[in-house]
Amino acid sequence: MKDSYQIPKEIEQRINWLLILIIISFLFLLINLWHLQIIRGGEFQERAVKNCIRSLVEEAPRGQIYDTHGELLVNNRPNVIVSVIPAEVDNLEDLSIRLSKLINLPSEEIIIKVNKNFENPYKPVKIFDDCPQHIIIEIEENKDKLKGVILEVNPRRNYIYQELAANCLGYVGEINKEELERSENSNLQGGDIIGKTGLEKYYEEFLRGEKGGKEVEVDALGREVATLLRKKPVPGNDLILTIDKDLQRFGEKLLAGKKGSIILSNPQTGEILALINQPSFNPNLFANIISYEDWQRLSTDPNYPLTNRAVQNTYQPGSTFKIVTGLAALEEGISNSTRKIYCSGKFTLKDQVFSCWKKGGHGSLSFVDALSQSCNIYFYIMGMELGINRMEKYMQKMGLGEEISIDLPEVSSGIRPSAQWKQRELNEIWFPGDDINLSIGQGYLLVSPLQMHSIICAIATEGLFYRLHLVKQIISAEGQLVQNFSPVLLRRIDISKETFKLVKEGLRATIVKGTGWRANSNEISIAGKTGTAQNPHGENHAWFVGFAPYENPEICITVFLENGGEGGEAAAPLARETLEYYFRM
Amino acid sequence: MRERLGKLTENLDYTLLIAVVLLCFYGIVILYSSTRFGYGVVGENPLFYVKRQSLWIASGFLLLIMIILVDYHNLERFSLAIYIFSILSLILVIVVGRITHGSRRWLYLGVFPLQPSEFAKIALIIFLADFLSKNKTKMENFTYFLLPFFYTGLYILLIFMQPDLGTSLTYIVILIIMLFVVGSRIKYLLTIFLVTFSSFPVLWHFLKDYQKRRILVFLNPNLDPLGSGYNVIQSKIAIGSGGLLGKGIFQGLQSQLKFLPAQHTDFIFSVLGEELGFIGAVLLLFLYIVIIWRGIKIALEAKDIFGALLATGVVSFFLFHIVVNIGMTMGILPATGLPLPFISYGGSFMLTNLIAVGLLLNVHLYKIKW
């Protein structure tokens, strides 16, 4: 019996041709297998058995980091590691006893290390880090008694000035499982050193070089006889920062023993000249693997030395926020150069009493006077008349509640309150009392020092937001320019010249005859605003934002002192000292 | 239904089925040997990969059973839908896929990572078998002859965005062999061949750097002795040192020391070659030959052109993977990253293999009787 249909002869023929291709393919595989395994088998067996061919990885040095004048801040130093290759050890106990005499480590501990970190017989197990010169010599001299012990040299991150700018530079460490899985870079492996925080993390792709390696033939004593293959490691690219080392260091000394931040930048370019955080930490502790004790100490320190306060933490801005309230009031026509308000020291809303910081009141004040005296009553009324919706518009314009664009990881966006925000987060409606609190930078509003700094830059430039950045150039190890970061104008806000002029006048008056008098310098003309953020949990936070010279601003400054007390008393003098130092440089 | 069950017991290709089952067992043993020291990030559990692979094999056989329960002629009706569905899944990968080792190939549905480009191989075979069997006579016209290239080209375009050179080549080989078998003019095929070759310099620009490097390193391994070239050198040492009888299962020096890269996926043949030697490798090739031989026989005995083309499509898919993978581990073909059927670790690929076997078995159920 035959089915209704059958494939045509022509197709049958073609399939037979295909059969020939198949036969050829398998013959091809078989012949090659025969050649590789039977004919050359002996040769490869020899190569595999005496795999006295040792594969060694050569780590690439990370790129170096320089300050704006080309002064070296971060480099790499050779770190000699004593390791054991388990496969080459005849008797681990004997070896550990001999080795322990040299490196001052109990032999039991050496055995534990080898067993714990054993991955495969040919992978070197690290025993001892940072081997000093005299031990290196002894090990080299006793090589014949230390079969299986090798010395590896790896570059180790070296932060030349220890704590200097540590919160910005960040630190490096061994890649962890999550980072390995998240990474898009297929060249990364377990055990690799990568940037964990700060610039080290942000510019990781540039800083990390390309690992090299070599295959060496070793004799029975483990001595390298010949290098069979070698791939040179490619060093990473260098960073040239906008940070001025001396200015940074001056600021850090000024803040020593305190908790807080100072930010200095050029408002016309966005270049950050100093980003100071105290307390700081020594990133050298992390350079390879941080000890458990050090990590415990740093991570549980109540003063959070690992945090970049200026960028990652948020606080109430206090009276520095009056700049924003004032800007909004002028721009919306609620205030102007002539409108005066009488401050009796008290402001009553229904049955609630809100007071000015000056008990007896300021009397009748114009806008410029109100800003310079930091009169609460004036700004309460501005805030009430503006209402939260208009306030929110201006806060958004000034970048509050949004992440600042900067070349650092983990930037906080803070909280920009609004009626919807309060409804959503607290399930409450927005009260007029909230307007009053917000108008002087109290209540729900939270900003990072960097956000406040970005605002003062926009005031100094009359509406320009340049991208803040810490790196101005990336240079290859051969000195070739890889990337140049010229100023990037992120946005220009549409606020009238007159408004800026009045706000700036107020800021200048603050220094000359107002709350910021302690920042008044007879060397340069400074403009600025002080702030004291009420802190129910402890001492108040002190703020100062400002710029200089008043006529033609070339530098902006933000000083923030956590639990530092009064802005005018604590923060303003630090700002003056820093700016005077800058202009003397 | 009774008639169908009768057909099943009467016409089931037991030889093919037994060869496939043996291959899967063989694969599990080798996989255990290459992963029991906890290869990769997962570590610890020596049975991690074996367990997962067994699960994939079991689900693959379930799919296989489902496929042979339905007459393969139903596929003709759905071929366009299958084609469109697979194209969409490839687009989805580009849009939301997950990246591992620098390429975007995976789609996460719940917990299972799926690789649509594998299943697309089956979709392409079905679609081309339907298209070519229906338009056989029209293929005399050269413009018509170019149409399947367009359909396949769409796949390749999407795969190149992932990017995956090996898979793209698989599609091309499947297309060419199926076109050849359906009786296309040799003149046409040669024209295409010549045009492709002469446009190679242009195509070169579309390759990713790592793909260019692989081809260059293939041509001259010394260019990168510790990178891509290193893999091949270590793999050659492993296979070569296996000799006639091998070092014994679980005894491979190279394999157990993890000198070998991707030794549970692309380079698993090196482990087999080292531990079981020439004998073990020949046994593997023998099982493959059984599958290919049965595939050809099924094509020749197919009830219609559609069935014959399905079978040759599957045969060309297996053949290409086998030759390219083993050739790569021996350092005689470039490292394109194609896995070894039934042996390499990988869920989507295992499912694809068993679906392909299901198609072969299905065509065989309706074979003509002499």
Side-chain angles (χ1 to χ4, degrees):
Chain A
M1 195 196 92
K2 199 162 187 178
D3 255 297
S4 55
Y5 191 78
Q6 192 194 332
I7 58 165
K9 262 261 144 346
E10 167 199 19
I11 291 191
E12 212 182 299
Q13 227 166 32
R14 289 284 173 95
I15 293 180
N16 285 331
W17 277 103
L18 179 62
L19 202 57
I20 294 178
L21 174 75
I22 293 168
I23 292 169
I24 294 173
S25 302
F26 277 102
L27 276 178
F28 166 76
L29 291 181
L30 271 172
I31 291 169
N32 274 295
L33 268 175
W34 175 266
H35 176 75
L36 198 64
Q37 298 194 289
I38 308 295
I39 299 184
R40 294 181 65 192
E43 168 199 335
F44 280 116
Q45 261 158 33
E46 220 169 284
R47 256 183 99 172
V49 171
K50 91 172 180 194
N51 217 337
C52 293
I53 296 169
R54 217 185 245 169
S55 289
L56 297 171
V57 174
E58 287 180 76
E59 298 293 343
R62 278 175 85 79
Q64 307 190 332
I65 303 180
Y66 298 88
D67 94 331
T68 190
H69 304 299
E71 242 191 273
L72 191 58
L73 301 179
V74 184
N75 64 355
N76 305 286
R77 61 181 174 80
N79 170 30
V80 180
I81 303 164
V82 182
S83 303
V84 166
I85 298 181
E88 294 180 12
V89 177
D90 297 327
N91 185 330
L92 184 59
E93 256 168 68
D94 290 352
L95 179 76
S96 64
I97 291 165
R98 265 173 272 150
L99 192 58
S100 78
K101 281 181 199 148
L102 293 177
I103 61 175
N104 194 23
L105 200 71
S107 62
E108 301 81 42
E109 209 165 304
I110 295 176
I111 293 174
I112 290 170
K113 276 193 175 182
V114 172
N115 289 329
K116 209 175 95 189
N117 299 321
F118 176 87
E119 267 181 58
N120 72 53
Y122 274 78
K123 174 137 192 228
V125 179
K126 189 205 279 187
I127 304 291
F128 190 66
D129 230 1
D130 250 332
C131 186
Q133 191 64 39
H134 66 274
I135 297 181
I136 297 175
I137 294 167
E138 279 199 64
I139 290 177
E140 287 289 350
E141 280 174 354
N142 293 297
K143 217 143 195 195
D144 52 331
K145 293 184 206 121
L146 296 169
K147 188 164 168 271
V149 173
I150 60 162
L151 295 168
E152 292 178 288
V153 185
N154 272 339
R156 181 185 260 204
R157 210 58 168 153
N158 182 33
Y159 301 86
I160 295 170
Y161 299 97
Q162 317 288 340
E163 277 94 356
L164 185 90
N167 305 77
C168 295
L169 295 171
Y171 57 83
V172 296
E174 227 175 79
I175 189 165
N176 62 35
K177 213 170 113 184
E178 294 88 62
E179 287 164 331
L180 201 57
E181 279 168 10
R182 242 186 296 123
S183 159
E184 295 192 3
N185 187 313
S186 55
N187 293 328
L188 281 175
Q189 292 175 335
D192 282 355
I193 300 291
I194 59 161
K196 293 279 189 178
T197 61
L199 293 169
E200 293 273 23
K201 180 178 181 182
Y202 194 89
Y203 289 101
E204 170 65 19
E205 293 300 318
F206 291 98
L207 287 167
R208 191 185 50 238
E210 226 180 278
K211 240 183 288 185
K214 58 181 178 178
E215 257 193 20
V216 293
E217 210 177 314
V218 290
D219 65 9
L221 291 175
R223 284 181 302 221
E224 292 180 17
V225 182
T227 303
L228 302 175
L229 307 162
R230 172 132 205 259
K231 187 182 162 196
K232 275 194 158 181
V234 182
N237 296 315
D238 296 344
L239 302 184
I240 298 187
L241 305 186
T242 55
I243 298 272
D244 182 306
K245 186 204 96 199
D246 296 326
L247 187 62
Q248 176 82 20
R249 183 182 251 179
F250 178 84
E252 287 185 3
K253 277 195 186 131
L254 215 55
L255 274 193
K258 300 187 173 74
K259 275 188 292 181
S261 307
I262 300 180
I263 311 166
L264 287 141
S265 78
N266 181 340
Q268 314 289 353
T269 61
E271 288 188 357
I272 293 180
L273 306 176
L275 211 171
I276 295 135
N277 284 291
Q278 285 292 353
S280 187
F281 66 99
N282 185 349
N284 285 321
L285 293 175
F286 291 84
N288 253 2
I289 298 168
I290 186 166
S291 74
Y292 180 74
E293 295 77 30
D294 284 334
W295 172 248
Q296 276 294 312
R297 181 173 55 74
L298 285 170
S299 59
T300 58
D301 188 326
N303 293 327
Y304 303 108
L306 295 176
T307 319
N308 190 334
R309 284 186 152 66
V311 180
Q312 296 173 325
N313 282 9
T314 56
Y315 308 87
Q316 289 160 337
S319 293
T320 54
F321 185 71
K322 285 172 184 161
I323 296 173
V324 178
T325 311
L327 199 80
L330 291 172
E331 195 63 13
E332 293 290 321
I334 287 167
S335 183
N336 51 43
S337 55
T338 51
R339 181 176 178 186
K340 288 196 170 183
I341 286 176
Y342 184 79
C343 165
S344 65
K346 277 197 175 64
F347 179 78
T348 319
L349 179 77
K350 287 181 190 150
D351 50 352
Q352 262 180 298
V353 177
F354 296 86
S355 45
C356 191
W357 61 269
K358 193 168 175 184
K359 287 272 144 39
H362 286 102
S364 183
L365 289 169
S366 71
F367 178 83
V368 169
D369 295 335
L371 195 58
S372 70
Q373 298 305 320
S374 201
C375 170
N376 287 354
I377 308 299
Y378 194 98
F379 287 93
Y380 288 157
I381 291 167
M382 296 295 114
M384 286 281 291
E385 291 182 18
L386 277 163
I388 179 61
N389 291 340
R390 282 197 275 187
M391 276 304 290
E392 204 215 347
K393 190 175 95 189
Y394 283 89
M395 286 192 283
Q396 192 175 5
K397 269 189 188 181
M398 301 313 277
L400 297 178
E402 266 142 54
E403 234 174 63
I404 296 271
S405 175
I406 185 173
D407 45 358
L408 283 173
E410 287 128 35
V411 179
S412 289
S413 45
I415 291 176
R416 178 181 70 224
S418 67
Q420 294 92 308
W421 173 87
K422 195 177 174 194
Q423 191 67 54
R424 195 177 60 234
E425 297 293 324
L426 305 171
N427 203 17
E428 268 180 39
I429 58 158
W430 187 268
F431 296 113
D434 294 329
D435 282 328
I436 289 178
N437 278 329
L438 177 64
S439 71
I440 59 157
Q442 296 292 152
Y444 308 114
L445 176 66
L446 286 177
V447 305
S448 67
L450 192 70
Q451 283 174 318
M452 235 27 245
H453 188 77
S454 158
I455 289 175
I456 197 65
C457 291
I459 301 291
T461 53
E462 311 203 339
L464 304 184
F465 281 90
Y466 280 98
R467 179 169 198 258
L468 291 163
H469 57 280
L470 293 152
V471 172
K472 68 175 176 189
Q473 278 179 338
I474 300 178
I475 308 275
S476 76
E478 293 85 41
Q480 231 98 40
L481 182 68
V482 176
Q483 205 165 333
N484 189 45
F485 298 94
S486 38
V488 176
L489 182 61
L490 295 173
R491 58 183 199 278
R492 173 194 291 271
I493 48 169
D494 49 337
I495 283 175
S496 69
K497 276 249 171 286
E498 296 74 59
T499 299
F500 278 121
K501 190 170 159 277
L502 240 91
V503 170
K504 280 171 133 181
E505 262 176 48
L507 296 181
R508 177 68 182 141
T510 304
I511 306 299
V512 178
K513 54 181 181 181
T515 54
W517 61 270
R518 287 186 184 83
N520 201 5
S521 161
N522 42 26
E523 294 170 33
I524 29 155
S525 58
I526 299 173
K529 182 79 194 79
T530 59
T532 307
Q534 312 285 334
N535 177 11
H537 310 294
E539 188 74 29
N540 293 340
H541 304 317
W543 284 91
F544 182 89
V545 295
F547 55 87
Y550 167 63
E551 300 75 19
N552 178 28
E554 62 174 85
I555 187 157
C556 284
I557 185 166
T558 297
V559 177
F560 170 77
L561 296 171
E562 195 174 315
N563 312 122
E566 296 279 324
E569 263 171 55
L574 297 187
R576 191 200 71 231
E577 276 186 69
T578 312
L579 288 173
E580 282 177 350
Y581 179 82
Y582 168 79
F583 281 98
R584 261 183 247 133
M585 274 197 319
Chain B
M1 196 65 200
R2 174 176 295 169
E3 187 198 346
R4 198 162 169 79
L5 285 177
K7 247 193 168 101
L8 260 178
T9 44
E10 186 191 338
N11 274 356
L12 192 66
D13 191 337
Y14 290 104
T15 318
L16 174 59
L17 202 57
I18 289 169
V20 169
V21 171
L22 287 177
L23 267 173
C24 289
F25 271 114
Y26 204 1
I28 287 289
V29 172
I30 303 300
L31 182 67
Y32 177 67
S33 176
S34 59
T35 59
R36 70 204 171 102
F37 275 157
Y39 187 81
V41 231
V42 189
E44 294 31 317
N45 183 0
L47 282 172
F48 179 83
Y49 287 99
V50 167
K51 273 188 188 157
R52 289 180 80 126
Q53 185 82 335
S54 307
L55 213 66
W56 289 115
I57 292 174
S59 357
F61 272 99
L62 272 176
L63 279 175
L64 183 149
I65 290 167
M66 276 157 65
I67 286 167
I68 53 176
L69 285 178
V70 186
D71 187 341
Y72 73 89
H73 292 96
N74 287 307
L75 289 173
E76 282 179 289
R77 275 189 290 149
F78 293 114
S79 75
L80 187 66
I82 291 172
Y83 176 78
I84 291 171
F85 183 78
S86 64
I87 290 283
L88 288 178
S89 68
L90 288 174
I91 293 174
L92 203 62
V93 175
I94 294 169
V95 181
V96 297
R98 192 182 282 199
I99 295 176
T100 48
H101 296 289
S103 47
R104 197 183 283 272
R105 290 182 192 172
W106 305 90
L107 208 53
Y108 274 72
L109 301 174
V111 282
F112 295 114
L114 287 177
Q115 221 176 335
S117 56
E118 293 296 346
F119 300 107
K121 290 169 186 165
I122 299 293
L124 181 69
I125 291 170
I126 293 171
F127 179 74
L128 285 178
D130 177 48
F131 180 87
L132 295 177
S133 61
K134 283 192 182 129
N135 300 294
K136 183 172 156 29
T137 44
K138 293 184 195 155
M139 302 294 281
E140 294 289 310
N141 181 330
F142 188 70
T143 14
Y144 226 89
F145 170 80
L146 287 178
L147 258 181
F149 283 92
F150 168 76
Y151 291 126
T152 314
L154 208 54
Y155 277 116
I156 292 169
L157 202 74
L158 292 169
I159 294 293
F160 250 92
M161 290 180 181
Q162 293 190 3
D164 187 342
L165 183 65
T167 301
S168 311
L169 286 173
T170 312
Y171 297 151
I172 294 174
V173 167
I174 289 172
L175 170 68
I176 298 286
I177 292 185
M178 287 177 81
L179 275 173
F180 174 76
V181 167
V182 81
S184 308
R185 291 188 173 197
I186 300 293
K187 201 170 71 185
Y188 289 176
L189 284 168
L190 280 178
T191 314
I192 291 286
F193 195 69
L194 286 175
V195 169
T196 317
F197 247 77
S198 50
S199 64
F200 209 79
V202 183
L203 291 175
W204 182 254
H205 287 284
F206 290 101
L207 294 180
K208 289 259 169 175
D209 277 348
Y210 83 91
Q211 292 173 327
K212 287 183 190 172
R213 203 170 63 210
R214 274 187 189 173
I215 294 175
L216 289 175
V217 169
F218 163 66
L219 296 173
N220 178 11
N222 292 327
L223 277 181
D224 187 11
L226 289 149
S228 321
Y230 173 85
N231 298 355
V232 171
I233 292 167
Q234 291 300 338
S235 171
K236 275 175 88 168
I237 294 180
I239 297 172
S241 64
L244 180 65
L245 299 171
K247 296 171 188 164
I249 189 79
F250 309 146
Q251 304 298 315
L253 252 179
Q254 297 278 312
S255 326
Q256 306 299 341
L257 299 183
K258 290 161 199 140
F259 278 172
L260 292 171
Q263 61 176 16
H264 59 312
T265 56
D266 293 355
F267 279 88
I268 196 162
F269 182 77
S270 329
V271 179
L272 187 150
E274 182 182 24
E275 300 191 344
L276 300 176
F278 186 67
I279 298 293
V282 168
L283 175 64
L284 180 81
L285 287 185
F286 172 74
L287 290 172
Y288 282 139
I289 288 170
V290 170
I291 289 176
I292 302 276
W293 160 59
R294 293 312 296 177
I296 289 294
K297 198 161 149 43
I298 287 167
L300 285 171
E301 293 177 0
K303 188 176 159 190
D304 47 26
I305 301 180
F306 179 59
L309 285 175
L310 277 183
T312 41
V314 169
V315 164
S316 48
F317 158 57
F318 282 143
L319 182 70
F320 187 66
H321 267 266
I322 294 163
V323 172
V324 171
N325 180 281
I326 298 183
M328 164 185 85
T329 56
M330 290 194 292
I332 47 179
L333 290 175
T336 37
L338 282 182
L340 192 58
F342 308 105
I343 308 289
S344 284
Y345 174 77
S348 301
F349 185 60
M350 184 52 91
L351 293 183
T352 306
N353 290 331
L354 290 170
I355 291 170
V357 173
L359 288 180
L360 284 183
L361 290 171
N362 200 328
V363 174
H364 190 254
L365 291 184
Y366 299 89
K367 69 170 184 173
I368 42 161
K369 299 182 182 69
W370 301 98

